[in-house]
Amino acid sequence: IKAEESLQKNMPFPMGAALNVSLLKSNSSYRNLIIKEFNSFTAENAMKFASVHPAKDTYTWADADYLVDFALANGKRVHGHTLNWYQSLPDWVKNFQGTTADWENLLKTHIQTVVGHFKGKVASWDVVNEAVNEDGTLRSTIWLEKLGADYISRAFQYAHEADPNALLFYNDYGHEYSTTKRTAIINLVNDLKSKGIPIDGIGLQMHTNITQTDANLTAAITTAAATGLKVHISEIDISLNPANTPGATYTDALAEQQAAKYKTIVKAYNVIPKNQQFGITQWNVTDGDSWILSFYKRADWPLPFDAQYQRKAAYQGILDGV
Ligand code: XIL
């Protein structure tokens, strides 16, 4: 593929990346790459609860606005992430005391203020993120504790009221490695649909690695598509060093295995119905800025671009999937 070509021009569905706002502001190689290669952006952290709503009556929009303005100025779609997650909660929420009605009001106010702020600019939202455990039960979060299982339906209704045009997603990880979790998530979204809750799509994070089987990766996508909802591969990265092996290095052999896994995923995604293909979003941009390095404190090379902003074999793997 020629240098002037790109993922967004060559792929038949939107291609996205999760962006770090400080790199976006400071690094022109990063900016040039994302403008060229992608047509959809997600905020890696800038729209999370603790980022935008650090105190009860305080909203801080600067970073999220910067990302949204940058995206729209460059003609990109913005996917919102995320309105409800058990992580990224500010202390004021953890310490909040109140009745069930007060908690309902807290959740509603947060969701409607954030969705309302970006109305007409952010096309879609991960409304609820990571609500299900691997054993299929609901994760015991502050929201489950204070509001019961119904918090999930409420979150979707609140978001829909604030922006009836936004597409609303349930987002989670593990579809490819836990059939129990996958089944629970599929049951959850089907239940929401049958109750008339406004849900448009299902996000498969797909934080995976080269030891994952092609059959499992494909089954995750096929099963999600069988709901009839839109499917977003929302946070893909394919680890080459999942076991954090001491002295691990990036080799051509690993690069080829990674390319093959990217291809498998794209191939499975490419055959679901067109109107269900919301797109594929990678979590971060290059092997230099991947969250895996800092979050898991290990050497890794999970993305289609290397730390020098060059295309890897994985990039060709993506193109080969269609
Ligand atoms: C991660 C970010 O990449 C990190 O910078 C942050 O410290 C923690 O969150 N699933 C999700 C994302 O839905 O929001 C997470 O992002 C990665 C896992």
Side-chain angles (χ1 to χ4, degrees):
I1 177 168
K2 297 197 183 82
E4 63 269 24
E5 292 292 315
S6 66
L7 292 174
Q8 55 159 333
K9 278 197 225 160
N10 283 273
M11 301 296 285
F13 35 74
M15 295 297 291
L19 303 184
N20 171 316
V21 176
S22 24
L23 288 174
L24 183 62
K25 286 180 179 166
S26 63
N27 185 321
S28 58
S29 308
Y30 184 90
R31 259 196 320 269
N32 292 340
L33 187 153
I34 60 172
I35 290 172
K36 178 177 186 175
E37 298 285 356
F38 302 106
N39 47 9
S40 178
F41 295 149
T42 303
E44 178 186 15
N45 290 309
M47 291 185 189
K48 288 173 181 171
F49 204 128
S51 303
V52 292
H53 195 177
K56 187 167 185 296
D57 296 310
T58 307
Y59 289 85
T60 43
W61 306 116
D63 280 2
D65 280 349
Y66 185 93
L67 186 150
V68 169
D69 292 347
F70 173 87
L72 298 183
N74 287 287
K76 312 298 186 185
R77 178 178 81 180
V78 184
H79 176 66
H81 176 85
T82 169
L83 299 169
N84 181 281
W85 191 28
Y86 72 102
Q87 289 186 36
S88 185
L89 284 180
D91 285 343
W92 77 267
V93 174
K94 291 183 195 156
N95 300 329
F96 185 79
Q97 303 286 329
T99 62
T100 306
D102 294 334
W103 276 96
E104 252 172 51
N105 187 49
L106 187 163
L107 181 63
K108 180 175 182 176
T109 303
H110 174 76
I111 290 178
Q112 297 201 329
T113 305
V114 176
V115 173
H117 180 81
F118 295 109
K119 187 176 177 180
K121 296 180 174 178
V122 168
S124 52
W125 285 97
D126 287 332
V127 178
V128 177
N129 194 37
E130 303 184 353
V132 175
N133 290 316
E134 262 171 63
D135 68 3
T137 58
L138 286 184
R139 191 188 290 274
S140 57
T141 65
I142 205 164
W143 309 111
L144 184 69
E145 184 195 325
K146 304 296 180 187
L147 296 173
D150 202 35
Y151 84 87
I152 298 176
S153 308
R154 286 173 195 273
F156 279 89
Q157 281 164 326
Y158 297 150
H160 184 68
E161 282 169 22
D163 184 357
N165 294 321
L167 295 173
L168 305 182
F169 286 75
Y170 175 79
N171 193 53
D172 213 327
Y173 64 91
H175 294 254
E176 65 283 3
Y177 65 77
S178 168
T179 47
T180 306
K181 180 168 179 176
R182 177 201 302 164
T183 304
I185 292 169
I186 299 300
N187 290 343
L188 170 70
V189 299
N190 281 334
D191 183 54
L192 293 174
K193 261 194 358 177
S194 72
K195 288 181 179 147
I197 302 298
I199 178 169
D200 302 286
I202 176 163
L204 312 184
Q205 292 185 7
M206 213 58 105
H207 294 292
T208 189
N209 66 76
I210 46 164
T211 71
Q212 189 49 263
T213 66
D214 290 358
N216 284 348
L217 294 167
T218 302
I221 294 166
T222 309
T223 313
T227 62
L229 293 167
K230 292 187 190 299
V231 179
H232 183 199
I233 296 184
S234 56
E235 306 186 12
I236 194 172
D237 42 32
I238 303 183
S239 170
L240 299 185
N241 187 24
N244 195 8
T245 307
T249 53
Y250 184 64
T251 63
D252 287 349
L254 287 172
E256 288 308 325
Q257 288 175 52
Q258 184 180 51
K261 287 299 165 197
Y262 270 103
K263 180 177 172 183
T264 295
I265 292 166
V266 171
K267 227 175 136 181
Y269 190 75
N270 191 44
V271 297
I272 71 171
K274 286 287 154 203
N275 65 345
Q276 289 179 258
Q277 291 173 343
F278 187 73
I280 298 184
T281 298
Q282 57 176 68
W283 204 248
N284 301 122
V285 177
T286 78
D287 288 346
D289 59 82
S290 164
W291 72 302
I292 290 181
L293 281 63
S294 50
F295 195 86
Y296 294 109
K297 297 183 178 55
R298 69 175 193 242
D300 216 324
W301 304 267
L303 293 170
F305 301 92
D306 68 22
Q308 285 71 46
Y309 304 92
Q310 301 304 306
R311 297 164 175 175
K312 297 164 55 187
Y315 184 98
Q316 187 61 46
I318 293 172
L319 296 173
D320 290 346
V322 299

